[in-house]
Amino acid sequence: LGYHADSINSKTNAGVGILFSENTDPYTGRTQVVVKQIYPRGPAELTGKIKEGDLLTDVNGEDVVGRSLHDLRNTIPGPADTPIQMGFISRATTQFYEVDMMRSVSGGPQVGHIKSIAPPTPFVNQPEGPAAPAIKTPPPLGG
């Protein structure tokens, strides 16, 4: 996707310590915003709940499913020490949960950045366990 929104001005705005990525749900075609990375010592890590791969569903009670990272660049970051509530669906359990955090400029230089990188695997229920064995192509006939 190649989009990068560096909407944090450390003097006035802060974030939640999450790097998000964006992909498209293969079943609905809708945009999904997924937790790509959690920054150490940031508000998200301090909740102990948010995990990489979790799907963002709402911000401060507003449904954000289907919205792009570009649309959210002014929704998640905000003034330091202000509250934010975020809802997620756990990739591990598919259960919805909410967290309350305070935006912060601590937790590293990337806190609150919203960045789109190479699309991750779409958020769908996938069986856990070892990967299927690779399929080997037989040699050409007559060779």
Side-chain angles (χ1 to χ4, degrees):
L1 297 172
Y3 174 76
H4 180 244
D6 187 0
S7 59
I8 300 300
N9 175 336
S10 63
K11 293 182 177 160
T12 59
N13 282 329
V16 295
I18 299 174
L19 174 69
F20 292 97
S21 64
E22 178 182 300
N23 64 32
T24 302
D25 182 309
Y27 299 106
T28 66
R30 293 180 73 184
T31 299
Q32 297 178 320
V33 174
V34 179
V35 175
K36 179 67 177 174
Q37 183 178 352
I38 298 172
Y39 291 101
R41 301 173 307 283
E45 182 185 63
L46 297 176
T47 69
K49 292 182 179 180
I50 304 169
K51 306 293 182 209
E52 291 178 8
D54 289 356
L55 175 68
L56 179 66
T57 61
D58 63 84
V59 177
N60 291 329
E62 179 185 345
D63 181 4
V64 298
V65 175
R67 290 183 57 190
S68 69
L69 288 171
H70 182 77
D71 289 344
L72 297 175
R73 74 187 185 286
N74 294 317
T75 303
I76 297 170
D81 301 319
T82 58
I84 184 169
Q85 183 180 67
M86 300 176 82
F88 295 89
I89 295 177
S90 167
R91 182 177 183 100
T93 67
T94 67
Q95 297 296 308
F96 173 79
Y97 66 93
E98 286 185 323
V99 294
D100 292 301
M101 298 177 276
M102 295 296 281
R103 292 177 179 100
S104 174
V105 293
S106 66
Q110 298 282 344
V111 170
H113 283 207
I114 298 175
K115 180 178 180 181
S116 178
I117 54 178
T121 303
F123 186 86
V124 293
N125 287 337
Q126 296 175 349
E128 296 206 16
I135 299 173
K136 294 184 180 180
T137 305
L141 295 175

